[in-house]
Amino acid sequence: MSRYFTEDHEWIDVDGDIGTVGISDYAQGQLGDIVFVEVPEDGRRIAKGDEAAVVESVKAASDVYSPVSGTVLEGNAALTDEPALVNSDPEGEGWFFKITLSDTAELEELMDEIAYEAFVAKL
Amino acid sequence: MSDAATDPDDGFEPIEILTLPLDAWHRARGGRMVEFAGYHMPVQYDGIMAEHLWTRESAGLFDVSHMGQLTVTGEGVVAALETLMPADIAGLAMNRARYSLLLDDNGGILDDLMLTRQSEEQVYMVVNGATKYDDIAHMIDRLPDDVTLNLMEDHALLAVQGPQAVAAVARVIPGVEAMVFMQAGAFEWNGHALWISRSGYTGEDGVEISVPADAAEALADALVAQPEIRPIGLGARDSLRLEAGLPLYGHDLDPETTPVMADLGFALFKRRREAADFPGAERILAEREQGAVSKRVGLLVEGRQPVREGASVVDGDGSTVGRVTSGGFAPSVGAPIAMAYLPAAMAVPGTTVQLVQRGKVHHATVTAMPFVPHRYFRGVK
């Protein structure tokens, strides 16, 4: 399984053609206390870069873009009752949605963990 | 990921962002600094939620030095200031504070402010940071030549708010506990002259302390050395004031709103109403009699998703009838809340409304404010 990151601070774990998407630890730290997450509906077709989810902190709402194109398998239902999972475990239990990739070649345009760490270090 | 709906600023674009007396103090304590009203200000330390709840349970120290502290001095200062706002300043006892509104000639709100009579010939005012230079220009234009206006740029302003605030501050500055809500007075700390009022803008008991800039760090250190007091950022200040039902200038109040529309009728004093001698009196008194076309209300939003400033209020036909002016998640309520302007007929507690934000419909109910009861100290009964 490989993990990739976007410059907009989404991460995606890929296993075969199934990806799990969330926001990075850096992103949750910038947002502060998460009070609401809206995840995409099952079966929704999403193009890479589309707005796929909304994450709301006490202060502001932010869009979450899909790192890849594909069809949504499921949103993380646990976030409905416990949006703070995004703060406590952003790159684990706080995942947003799972997606079936339609073009795995899109992954080549994303950063790996080392490249993302270097990217964040410069912000 | 990107910001979709951060709070829009007030259109205020300073040439340079200025530094306030406690800038280094905040940074040393992990305050995350943002630009606000032309200054670097701490938006949060540990997190807005924890800071908000700490303030409601214990006490928070807020740096509000971006706000404008003014003294207005001279013979006839009371009568002169009364021409600009609807407060009964002449009827105000010495060392008593009032909330008032700077009004334009049409009765529109130019700013909201706190004023205190310091002597027969001096009034101390605290005005909003983003509007302070406009306020000064407005007042200088209209005040007589023998009235002097002084912007106290060499002073910081610290607010300590919360149920434990006064007991904790009294350990540092004995005597503050003797004041009641909206009372003020001169104090001394380590040889520095302070001006303190028992007031604030969080709905909690507390004080606001005007301190010379060169003593601000030492005083802030002495205050946060009290176990009840922690530094709190502007993020929690905003959620606290929203829960307290208090309007924020540039968001819930602006020149398009009048005191009646803004539900601030308490700021229209009886003597001034009878004399009808404040700016826009004709329009405002007519609104008071007949009701304004629209009114500021509180909204309890269903579900968990916050509805923020700029969202539309729509009627059953989908037509826009109002606008959300402040909104967010209320940590002490545990739900999203908002303020909005609604047509008078809908501005009744219990009315259900629909809000549209980024294409999504939210349901809300008009509710009486404050959302969290005020806990001002009005004296022992």
Side-chain angles (χ1 to χ4, degrees), chain B residues 319-339:
Chain B
S319 306
T320 298
V321 294
R323 190 173 73 85
V324 172
T325 52
S326 278
F329 189 82
S332 299
V333 178
I337 59 173
M339 287 183 195

Side-chain angles (χ1 to χ4, degrees), chain B residues 25 29 54-55 57-61 158-174 176-177 189-190 207 209 217-232:
Chain B
W25 191 91
R29 275 154 194 79
W54 179 265
T55 303
E57 288 164 15
S58 188
L61 173 72
L158 304 179
V160 190
Q161 302 281 293
Q164 309 296 323
V166 170
V169 174
R171 250 177 266 130
V172 180
I173 311 162
V176 295
E177 72 285 358
W189 178 75
N190 278 5
V207 292
I209 306 171
E217 280 207 6
L219 179 59
D221 279 339
L223 291 169
V224 298
Q226 307 307 310
E228 300 93 336
I229 303 177
R230 286 186 191 169
I232 305 293

Side-chain angles (χ1 to χ4, degrees), chain B residues 58-316:
Chain B
S58 188
L61 173 72
F62 302 82
D63 180 9
V64 286
S65 301
H66 63 296
M67 299 185 81
Q69 299 183 67
L70 312 169
T71 56
V72 194
T73 313
E75 198 179 339
V77 65
V78 166
L81 281 176
E82 282 194 353
T83 65
L84 306 178
M85 55 189 84
D88 179 5
I89 310 175
L92 194 59
M94 294 303 158
N95 292 354
R96 288 283 172 168
R98 285 250 159 100
Y99 176 84
S100 195
L101 302 161
L102 201 58
L103 299 176
D104 68 18
D105 293 337
N106 196 34
I109 300 172
L110 296 172
D111 201 4
D112 63 339
L113 55 94
M114 290 287 292
L115 61 85
T116 314
R117 276 191 90 178
Q118 289 183 314
S119 73
E120 287 293 344
E121 296 192 358
Q122 182 158 298
V123 174
Y124 166 78
M125 292 170 53
V126 179
V127 301
N128 279 295
T131 52
K132 63 187 174 188
Y133 297 113
D134 289 340
D135 292 356
I136 290 167
H138 177 84
M139 288 191 277
I140 285 177
D141 270 356
R142 288 162 180 80
L143 291 171
D145 290 344
D146 47 1
V147 167
T148 307
L149 203 153
N150 173 41
L151 176 61
M152 299 165 63
E153 287 185 292
D154 55 350
H155 278 65
L157 189 65
L158 304 179
V160 190
Q161 302 281 293
Q164 309 296 323
V166 170
V169 174
R171 250 177 266 130
V172 180
I173 311 162
V176 295
E177 72 285 358
M179 293 190 289
V180 296
F181 184 58
M182 298 301 250
Q183 194 173 355
F187 290 80
E188 198 185 282
W189 178 75
N190 278 5
H192 303 287
L194 307 178
W195 180 258
I196 303 179
S197 63
R198 194 156 185 175
S199 64
Y201 217 59
T202 61
E204 297 294 329
D205 185 17
V207 292
E208 289 193 348
I209 306 171
S210 176
V211 53
D214 58 8
E217 280 207 6
L219 179 59
D221 279 339
L223 291 169
V224 298
Q226 307 307 310
E228 300 93 336
I229 303 177
R230 286 186 191 169
I232 305 293
L234 289 185
R237 186 172 172 83
D238 191 51
S239 52
L240 288 159
R241 72 93 200 157
L242 180 60
E243 284 183 343
L246 302 170
L248 182 61
Y249 196 81
H251 302 264
D252 312 299
L253 307 176
D254 61 31
E256 303 302 311
T257 55
T258 65
V260 180
M261 290 167 66
D263 199 25
L264 299 172
F266 70 89
L268 304 170
F269 281 82
K270 187 166 182 247
R271 176 175 67 81
R272 306 300 310 282
R273 294 199 311 264
E274 287 171 358
D277 61 351
F278 52 88
E282 193 177 345
R283 173 190 179 189
I284 289 170
L285 293 172
E287 283 184 351
R288 196 171 176 275
E289 287 299 309
Q290 296 144 27
V293 178
S294 66
K295 195 178 158 194
R296 180 175 65 95
V297 298
L299 297 173
L300 279 172
V301 180
E302 285 178 25
R304 297 282 294 181
Q305 186 165 17
V307 176
R308 311 201 188 248
E309 178 174 5
S312 304
V313 185
V314 299
D315 64 13

Side-chain angles (χ1 to χ4, degrees), chain A residues 1-121:
Chain A
M1 194 161 70
S2 309
R3 173 167 293 196
Y4 303 87
F5 290 85
T6 71
E7 292 190 358
D8 293 320
H9 307 289
E10 293 92 9
W11 56 265
I12 180 167
D13 277 345
V14 183
D15 189 1
D17 65 347
I18 306 293
T20 303
V21 177
I23 66 170
S24 70
D25 185 51
Y26 171 83
Q28 72 78 23
Q30 291 293 308
L31 289 170
D33 301 308
I34 306 297
V35 296
F36 179 83
V37 179
E38 182 183 300
V39 296
E41 285 170 24
D42 301 358
R44 190 178 138 197
R45 293 171 70 92
I46 292 180
K48 176 179 173 151
D50 277 359
E51 295 163 11
V54 177
V55 57
E56 304 237 13
S57 67
V58 179
K59 201 76 188 117
S62 302
D63 290 321
V64 176
Y65 306 112
S66 185
V68 293
S69 306
T71 304
V72 175
L73 269 175
E74 66 169 311
N76 185 357
L79 295 181
T80 306
D81 294 329
E82 205 179 338
L85 277 175
V86 180
N87 291 123
S88 59
D89 193 8
E91 299 184 23
E93 293 300 308
W95 60 276
F96 280 34
F97 59 95
K98 293 185 191 294
I99 187 168
T100 308
L101 278 67
S102 55
D103 180 6
T104 51
E106 287 174 345
L107 296 169
E108 290 164 21
E109 297 157 35
L110 303 178
M111 288 178 275
D112 64 17
E113 203 143 9
I114 292 162
Y116 179 70
E117 275 176 24
F119 172 74
V120 165

